[in-house]
Structures are given as structure tokens and as C-alpha cells.
Amino acid sequence: MGFLDIWKNKRILSNDIVSPVTGKILPTFEIADTVFSQEMMGQTIAIIPDDGTIVSPVSGVLELVFPTKHAFGVKTNDGLGFLVHIGIDTVTLKGKGFKSFAKKGDRVHFGQKIIEVDLETLKAAGIDTTVMLIITEKNRDDFKIEYPKKENVIRGEKLN
């Protein structure tokens, strides 16, 4: 099932949050980096990717694309901030294996391809490929996402 089929069948709305990647959901406490496993940056969902296509989880403005392309941040019109971090310690690759399809300041839509990563390059360097989606900015103190209680997600699938 492709992204458009998911969009048509799930009635994804402009303020919904979608999975940035296809893969297996990893319990947050099992993430191999305490910054993410203890949610120090914000509420986190982790996904072990099946492939290297990474899409925007929300519609908004691309506020940050790291020069190494291992992470990007999107802010929605209603003030929510999201960070997508690809792999653990991927900054050490200095961009090797990453290709960007958008730049800082671009208006992006949920499901739009932002980064392509060669997972084999990461694995060959001994790097954990887990993709983290972090809520870095809330528009109200009690904002929290009830992520789906399932084992796998599909890129573009609604998470909230």
C-alpha cells in the first residue's frame, strides 16, 4: 500500500502527524541513546527503518536541516515543533550516505520526502539506524500524542 492509498483510506488531515519512515516501532526505553530513551528533548517515538526514505511527519516550515543531513526540524502553523533524527551518532559520518530533498525555510507537507539515507552505509560504519521522531515544541503544556499500540508502521501512516 502506497502513501496515497493510506492518505485516501485514513482521511489524514492537514494537522495530523504521520510516520516519517516504514519500519518496526521500538519501545522508547530501548533506544540506545539516553537523550532519546529518556525523552530529554521531548516525547519520542522510535522506528527501526525498513528503507532509507524519510518524509516530513507534519505540514509546516522546515526550520532546521543539519549540514550533515542526519536530522531535520519542522514547525507547524499551530506552533508544534518536531525533530526527525536519523540514526544514533550519525553526525560522525559528516553527511556520508545522506541526500537532502529540501532546505531550511521550505514549506513542506506531511509525507513529503526530505532525506534519503543509505542504510547500508550506516550499518557498515557500525551505526544504529533507528529513526526518532521527537516533539520539541508544544503549543500547550498538556500536549501529548497517543501513538498507536502496534508493532509496525508505514511511511505516511497517521500516528495521532
Side-chain angles (χ1 to χ4, degrees), residues 24-94:
K24 180 181 179 186
I25 295 176
L26 179 70
T28 306
F29 68 89
E30 290 184 18
I31 301 171
D33 184 314
T34 56
V35 170
F36 301 114
S37 67
Q38 295 181 12
E39 298 186 317
M40 293 178 188
M41 296 175 68
Q43 185 184 0
T44 302
I45 185 171
I47 303 163
I48 301 168
D50 287 350
D51 62 50
T53 300
I54 314 295
V55 302
S56 180
V58 293
S59 294
V61 175
L62 199 56
E63 290 204 323
L64 170 73
V65 178
F66 276 78
T68 53
K69 302 175 191 83
H70 76 284
F72 63 90
V74 183
K75 191 164 191 175
T76 66
N77 290 337
D78 58 356
L80 293 173
F82 293 86
L83 178 71
V84 176
H85 194 283
I86 306 158
I88 296 174
D89 294 330
T90 42
V91 70
T92 61
L93 291 177
K94 299 179 181 167

